[in-house]
Amino acid sequence: MTPGRIIFLNGTSSSGKSSIARELLDILDDGVFSHLSVDAFNSMRARRELSAPEFDAALRRTRLGFHRSVAAMAEVGNDLVVDHVLSEPWQLADCLAVLRPEDVLFVGVHCPLPEMERRERARGDREAGLAALQYDLVHAHGDYDLECDTGTASPRACAERIRDFLPHRPTPTAFSRLRARYSIEGTPGCEAGPH
């Protein structure tokens, strides 16, 4: 069975990842793509009040499960658009450990901070300041196959750029290059980082 392709969108909250993902599902006609979002996995969790340690542990397990769900879906041949916020080094290291690097097109989704803050206020469903908190963290690894900016291009234009780039993925991929730099040994969810 041929593994599925993964278009992996990484960016802060309110950067436009979900909007790009929706556009990609409308315009990708080479295969059948599904959108897997870390936010959707988070929304499946019970809403009861948790202590800070309980919440942190639940969030970590959710992320680990999300990464493995993406891997399992791709392994059986599903093409995927993944939307994630890699705000901690262990999250990227875990993705590098469980996803086949040659199948991943790693896309950095950028947006100027003032625009993301405006979007946060307009949406009203996000914690104020979340994008600012994540801003310097999500792209700290510094390596992508492709980058786009929703502050200067519409989600549709970003999706079209990704679609047009998909058949021309570089070799080695960004995931392959990053895997060589990151420690992916040890238990799942280890605090791995670049060497």
Side-chain angles (χ1 to χ4, degrees), residues 26-93:
D26 284 346
I27 66 172
L28 290 169
D29 56 7
D30 174 24
V32 178
F33 281 81
S34 297
H35 177 205
L36 294 184
S37 168
V38 74
D39 286 346
F41 270 59
N42 287 333
S43 71
M44 292 188 281
R45 226 179 13 257
R47 294 288 174 229
R48 72 177 180 84
E49 193 70 29
L50 299 173
S51 69
E54 285 177 315
F55 179 76
D56 289 345
L59 195 59
R60 186 180 204 82
R61 288 191 308 271
T62 302
R63 299 288 192 272
L64 291 168
F66 176 64
H67 302 161
R68 280 145 188 80
S69 297
V70 169
M73 288 286 287
E75 183 181 330
V76 296
N78 292 292
D79 291 327
L80 305 172
V81 178
V82 172
D83 135 20
H84 204 337
V85 180
L86 296 173
S87 58
E88 297 177 82
W90 75 263
Q91 294 172 0
L92 175 58

Side-chain angles (χ1 to χ4, degrees), residues 104-180:
V104 178
L105 176 67
F106 197 28
V107 181
V109 179
H110 301 276
C111 183
L113 184 55
E115 173 59 16
M116 288 190 292
E117 290 171 332
R118 185 200 65 75
R119 292 175 187 176
E120 276 182 344
R121 288 189 302 275
R123 290 171 66 161
D125 65 348
R126 298 293 159 100
E127 180 183 335
L130 186 58
L133 181 67
Q134 298 168 344
Y135 193 72
D136 291 327
L137 303 173
V138 296
H139 304 296
H141 56 82
D143 194 358
Y144 288 106
D145 296 308
L146 182 66
E147 298 181 68
C148 56
D149 187 333
T150 63
T152 59
S154 69
R156 183 64 168 225
C158 292
E160 288 170 347
R161 186 164 176 237
I162 293 165
R163 177 202 59 200
D164 295 346
F165 188 83
L166 187 60
H168 311 288
R169 286 179 291 177
T171 304
T173 64
F175 255 48
S176 296
R177 295 186 301 269
L178 287 163
R179 198 175 206 190

